Amino acid sequence: QVQLVESGGGSVQAGGSLRLSCVASGYTSGVNCMGWFRQAPGKSREVVGRMEIGGVVPYYADSMKGRFTISRDNTKNTLYLQMNSLIPEDTAMYYCAAGGRFCYPGVEYKYWGQGTQVTVST
């Protein structure tokens, strides 16, 4: 099993920034694709972005491009999500997920964290 723990959420004014962290632990061998997702009240979960642990070029959903940045620190088994120019529509529970040896559309994310809440006010 792989355990994922998110942190860094909170409340921020529109235009502000937050950096989320996701620390992976457990048996992570072969689990190389990690991603960020979010789910707003009354809406389905949507992908924010994903990145292979050993990769350098993340994938982002169109609505996140230019504002959100995914990075990782392999020595710490940590995935980051830097969120800038936040808007109220970004308000959601943000989840970290992991699974698969490679990232590709439709990759299965077997492991999920409990989420961290992000609230953006006007």
Side-chain angles (χ1 to χ4, degrees):
Q1 293 287 321
V2 174
Q3 296 173 331
L4 304 173
V5 179
E6 305 98 331
S7 63
S11 298
V12 64
Q13 292 284 104
S17 299
L18 287 172
R19 189 180 75 161
L20 308 183
S21 299
C22 172
V23 179
S25 61
Y27 189 71
T28 60
S29 180
V31 183
N32 297 323
C33 185
M34 299 184 68
W36 285 101
F37 298 79
R38 70 183 186 184
Q39 186 168 22
K43 296 185 179 295
S44 60
R45 180 178 292 163
E46 65 175 333
V47 61
V48 174
R50 61 175 67 93
M51 184 178 189
E52 294 176 355
I53 294 176
V56 296
V57 182
Y59 161 85
Y60 303 100
D62 288 343
S63 62
M64 322 300 174
K65 294 178 180 178
R67 298 191 300 119
F68 292 5
T69 302
I70 293 175
S71 61
R72 80 288 182 275
D73 186 340
N74 292 341
T75 64
K76 299 180 179 179
N77 288 332
T78 301
L79 188 75
Y80 301 98
L81 178 64
Q82 179 68 46
M83 304 185 294
N84 298 324
S85 301
L86 287 163
I87 58 177
E89 289 73 19
D90 294 321
T91 296
M93 185 73 75
Y94 284 72
Y95 298 90
C96 177
R101 298 178 64 182
F102 305 97
C103 289
Y104 58 91
V107 65
E108 179 184 0
Y109 293 94
K110 185 177 181 180
Y111 307 102
W112 293 82
Q114 295 300 307
T116 183
Q117 178 67 41
V118 172
T119 302
V120 185
S121 60
T122 58

